[in-house]
Amino acid sequence: MNKYELIYIIDTTLEETARKELVEKVNGIIAANGGEVEKVEEWGKRRLAYAINYKTEGYYVYVAFNGTAALPKELSRKLGINESVVRSQIVKLLEKKSSVKPRPAHVAPATEETESSATAE
């Protein structure tokens, strides 16, 4: 299972009860397609960077979830059909893999001067 992040913007003209139902519906879509919702954060009403369909504000929702590779495509399709969702973006999280091996500590070779002074003491 892959890890994903989803951020979608809901139209602010939608009432609070309808907005809560939409958030639950999105979580249900994830669960119905074999995914598992880890975290849901409602960021609230914010100003958009630019007007989308003559709207300057949107209600932001963040979702972190696990799922198969086919889940983001289906979720994106269903969010695109819903008229209450202004924009959405799904991002796959990559695990950090360190393929670089640590270098061994480099010790300078002993010279004759340092060896003779160490034996003289």
Side-chain angles (χ1 to χ4, degrees):
M1 301 258 285
N2 299 321
K3 293 185 180 226
Y4 297 97
E5 286 183 339
L6 162 67
I7 295 178
Y8 58 100
I9 305 170
I10 302 172
D11 188 5
T12 54
T13 59
L14 204 62
E15 293 181 15
E16 186 175 349
T17 55
R19 187 174 60 234
K20 296 283 184 193
E21 289 174 4
L22 180 60
V23 171
E24 289 301 319
K25 183 179 177 182
V26 171
N27 294 343
I29 292 170
I30 294 170
N33 288 302
E36 178 184 333
V37 177
E38 290 183 353
K39 182 184 355 177
V40 177
E41 293 179 5
E42 293 186 24
W43 291 349
K45 191 175 181 180
R46 295 182 178 209
R47 184 174 165 88
L48 300 174
Y50 55 91
I52 301 172
N53 296 333
Y54 304 104
K55 296 172 183 150
T56 57
E57 290 185 332
Y59 190 86
Y60 283 70
V61 181
Y62 166 83
V63 181
F65 65 96
N66 297 327
T68 61
L71 178 58
K73 186 174 182 180
E74 178 67 16
L75 186 58
S76 178
R77 184 183 74 79
K78 291 203 176 179
L79 287 172
I81 292 171
N82 195 326
E83 292 179 2
S84 300
V85 177
V86 178
R87 284 281 192 274
S88 65
Q89 183 174 17
I90 302 172
V91 178
K92 180 180 177 184
L93 298 177
L94 299 176
E95 295 179 20
K96 275 191 170 180
K97 293 184 180 180
S98 178
S99 62
V100 178
K101 296 180 182 175
R103 293 185 187 180
H106 182 68
V107 179
T111 60
E112 292 179 20
E113 271 183 26
T114 55
E115 288 179 2
S116 61
S117 63
T119 55
E121 294 177 6

